[in-house]
Amino acid sequence: MAELKLPADEAAIRELTVGDYVELSGRMITGRDAAHKWLLESFREEVAPFLQGTAIYQCGPVVRKNDDGCYDFVAAGPTTSIREEPYEADVISQYGLRGVIGKGGMGPKTLDALGRYGAVYLHAVGGAAQVLAAAVKRVERVFMLEEFGVPEAMWVIDVERFPVMVTMDSHGGTLHEEVERESRERLARLLGRETSRV
Amino acid sequence: MIDRNRYVETLTEMLRRASTQLPSDVVEALRAGQSVEEEGSLARKALDTILMNVDLAREQVAPICQDTGTPVVWVHHPLGISTIELGDAMKEAVRQATSRQFLRPNAVETLTGRNTGDGAGRGIPFIHFEEWDRPEIEVRALLKGGGSENVGMQYKLPDNGLGAGRDLEGVRRVVLDAVVQAQGKGCAPGTLGVCIGGDRVSAFEESKRQLLRPLPDENPIAELAELEAVLLRQGNELGIGPMGFGGKTTLLGVKLGALDRLPACYFVTISYMCWADRRAGVRISEGGEATWLS
């Protein structure tokens, strides 16, 4: 079982390949639809150091504010990644991201960026909101809370043994394409024909 | 006349149970999947994580998934009960469950993009009322998340591309196609609720109503029971696996129902329920006593 410390360098990322199970420890940052759009409208100096070398977690958490003003993640599973396909490649290149965490996989533009800049797509288990929230040990700070609201804000978090699967790597490998191709072939056989409709 | 406060309290408790406790038959089906997936595979790891998450949610009385979904509710009531009062109480229960963080505020005004903040909205929760000849009220609810709702499908037969005619063989072909199109995106392993026939509206409702059936039950219509078994087996032969990681566990169940149709229409309507197959039910006696349904 591999452990990956965040932030990570390019060499560590290039070692990961599709099918690896990895536990993440260190600092990451959340960001989903509003954040991705905002990050590309102009270069955000204040957030950039928190993206450099680490992973963005596509997640809209349920967050509790404690009496002392600190925050806790109550439920924090991944959201569907493909919505960020138009943005993610540019976020990776402009901010030096090493990882994207979400669910369902992403498209060819992101896959190309993973190879070009040395980054990896990490699939968290969809719906596992409690297991993943339990791996979030501390909320360090938050950006754009007022403007975006709780689910869309960018939360800087410290995680310990945060479980993910490598489903797209920096060598052009993607489990999603493999599984889909194989399942279409099996469907064609079950329907008694050469190929199924794509 | 219903005792509103007590009724709201019971329905809030029903939503808490639905959001935090996965039904035992679903847990059993997930465990069965876990036992057939290879040790060390991503499929096995995903199911290990899912089952750990189910336990954690129950212990901590916290939502299984942060997307607590849309409550889809069916109410059976005796003659003389106001469905306006019942509907109003259900909506209030959604608000209370949301304020207590059993549900996430999940109602967004479509035109403004504003979240209503309290979980209730126009058409949310969606409630189906039906009168029956018993003295008690029965309420059953599904919490259906957005990821799985997005992969639902409605086919109209014949479908030439799939070679699907207007018969059960045609139904088999389009249902398997829907499973392939969904891949892992609906948070597999999923359960399919399918309606054969009906119109475009009634069919989606019936497909969701099918999801209320416990996984091990048997369809009383012999040919549908047989097709359910075939689809479950063949769906799992597609190799999509938990979360689409590849593997043997793609579906936990397939439930088929049929409605009558117009001569010109033959719809096959598929609602996909994620692995977090959250359902709960309660029967409320005339005196207000609650009996929880599995």
Side-chain angles (χ1 to χ4, degrees):
Chain A
M1 171 190 317
E3 203 190 350
L4 181 67
K5 297 261 185 229
L6 294 175
D9 58 20
E10 182 171 349
I13 295 300
R14 295 274 182 200
E15 274 178 31
L16 298 173
T17 54
V18 163
D20 287 347
Y21 169 72
V22 183
E23 293 184 343
L24 307 175
S25 294
R27 180 203 274 165
M28 61 169 82
I29 185 167
T30 70
R32 46 183 291 170
D33 310 73
H36 278 79
K37 186 166 175 287
W38 179 76
L39 286 171
L40 295 181
E41 279 166 0
S42 66
F43 188 78
R44 307 295 178 179
E45 299 279 356
E46 67 277 32
V47 188
F50 297 93
L51 288 156
Q52 176 71 39
T54 190
I56 194 164
Y57 181 24
Q58 299 164 339
C59 167
V62 178
V63 179
R64 180 177 52 229
K65 188 170 188 177
N66 299 316
D67 295 337
D68 61 4
C70 295
Y71 295 98
D72 279 331
F73 271 31
V74 175
T79 190
T80 302
S81 300
I82 197 70
R83 289 196 310 270
E84 313 315 335
E85 179 65 7
Y87 313 107
E88 205 68 80
D90 295 328
V91 175
I92 290 168
S93 69
Q94 290 182 28
Y95 290 91
L97 273 183
R98 291 282 173 221
V100 177
I101 308 167
K103 76 172 169 101
M106 300 191 72
K109 191 175 165 196
T110 303
L111 185 64
D112 179 69
L114 298 180
R116 199 179 295 265
Y117 303 106
V120 67
Y121 178 82
L122 303 160
H123 199 302
V125 173
Q130 293 307 318
V131 167
L132 295 167
V136 177
K137 298 302 171 191
R138 196 166 72 92
V139 177
E140 201 176 312
R141 60 182 296 178
V142 58
F143 292 98
M144 299 302 282
L145 179 58
E146 283 296 305
E147 296 84 346
F148 292 164
V150 168
E152 298 273 351
M154 300 191 76
W155 298 88
V156 180
I157 53 178
D158 282 336
V159 301
E160 249 176 59
R161 303 189 63 189
F162 185 98
V164 288
M165 288 76 167
V166 177
T167 60
M168 295 167 68
D169 63 28
S170 61
H171 312 287
T174 159
L175 180 66
H176 306 284
E177 252 179 54
E178 269 172 51
V179 170
E180 181 158 358
R181 190 177 55 244
E182 174 70 14
S183 66
R184 285 190 184 280
E185 284 168 16
R186 292 183 188 198
L187 175 65
R189 285 200 291 276
L190 287 169
L191 300 187
R193 50 171 57 194
E194 294 295 303
T195 52
S196 68
R197 184 172 67 180
V198 178
Chain B
M1 192 57 98
I2 57 171
D3 174 348
R4 187 173 189 275
N5 287 344
R6 192 164 177 192
Y7 193 71
V8 169
E9 197 181 307
T10 302
L11 294 177
T12 306
E13 169 62 11
M14 181 189 71
L15 293 169
R16 181 189 74 81
R17 286 172 180 242
S19 179
T20 63
Q21 303 176 4
L22 205 60
S24 59
D25 57 309
V26 180
V27 177
E28 281 312 305
L30 288 165
R31 285 211 186 102
Q34 184 188 36
S35 70
V36 300
E37 297 293 354
E38 222 171 289
E39 191 91 41
S41 65
L42 290 189
R44 175 64 177 265
K45 200 72 213 171
L47 285 167
D48 291 348
T49 306
I50 283 168
L51 283 158
M52 204 191 303
N53 190 73
V54 169
D55 287 343
L56 211 53
R58 184 181 288 262
E59 278 163 29
Q60 305 199 341
V61 198
I64 295 165
C65 177
Q66 80 285 342
D67 183 357
T68 57
T70 304
V72 189
V73 185
W74 288 264
V75 178
H76 281 90
H77 61 89
L79 181 69
I81 293 277
S82 159
T83 56
I84 294 176
E85 282 181 28
L86 285 181
D88 182 57
M90 187 68 233
K91 212 163 192 173
E92 180 56 26
V94 168
R95 289 195 185 96
Q96 292 199 11
T98 305
S99 76
R100 292 164 67 186
Q101 289 184 318
F102 300 138
L103 301 180
R104 185 175 74 175
N106 253 5
V108 175
E109 291 174 0
T110 299
L111 299 185
T112 63
R114 191 185 74 93
N115 192 311
T116 66
D118 65 4
R122 286 162 65 94
I124 300 178
F126 202 85
I127 312 172
H128 308 272
F129 291 104
E130 214 170 298
E131 187 184 307
W132 65 358
D133 58 5
R134 304 174 65 124
E136 65 269 18
I137 297 168
E138 187 181 287
V139 185
R140 289 180 182 270
L142 298 174
L143 297 181
K144 193 153 187 316
S148 72
E149 189 70 352
N150 278 338
V151 299
M153 296 283 278
Q154 189 165 58
Y155 294 84
K156 66 180 193 313
L157 302 190
D159 184 312
N160 293 333
L162 291 165
R166 296 179 146 200
D167 51 25
L168 292 186
E169 168 58 10
V171 174
R172 182 185 74 92
R173 299 175 87 86
V174 297
V175 171
L176 289 174
D177 181 69
V179 177
V180 168
Q181 294 213 36
Q183 291 291 305
K185 297 186 184 77
C187 282
T191 299
L192 305 182
V194 180
C195 175
I196 308 167
D199 67 23
R200 288 200 184 268
V201 175
S202 63
F204 263 116
E205 193 223 321
E206 178 59 25
S207 70
K208 288 184 181 172
R209 189 196 296 262
Q210 287 295 322
L211 293 169
L212 293 174
R213 290 169 52 196
L215 294 176
D217 81 345
E218 185 156 335
N219 199 311
I221 301 167
E223 62 254 61
L224 293 186
E226 196 187 328
L227 185 55
E228 285 178 358
V230 167
L231 284 169
L232 180 58
R233 192 182 67 243
Q234 296 189 341
N236 283 325
E237 283 169 17
L238 292 168
I240 294 163
M243 302 313 300
F245 291 162
K248 301 184 180 81
T249 320
T250 302
L251 295 177
L252 299 179
V254 179
K255 301 294 172 189
L256 305 176
L259 291 179
D260 294 348
R261 59 183 176 82
L262 276 158
C265 300
Y266 195 121
F267 296 114
V268 179
T269 305
I270 299 151
S271 286
Y272 190 109
M273 187 57 147
C274 57
W275 66 257
D277 183 357
R278 290 155 289 175
R279 53 183 149 81
V282 64
R283 200 167 283 171
I284 304 167
S285 72
E286 283 173 283
E289 295 299 327
T291 308
W292 300 102
L293 306 171
S294 59

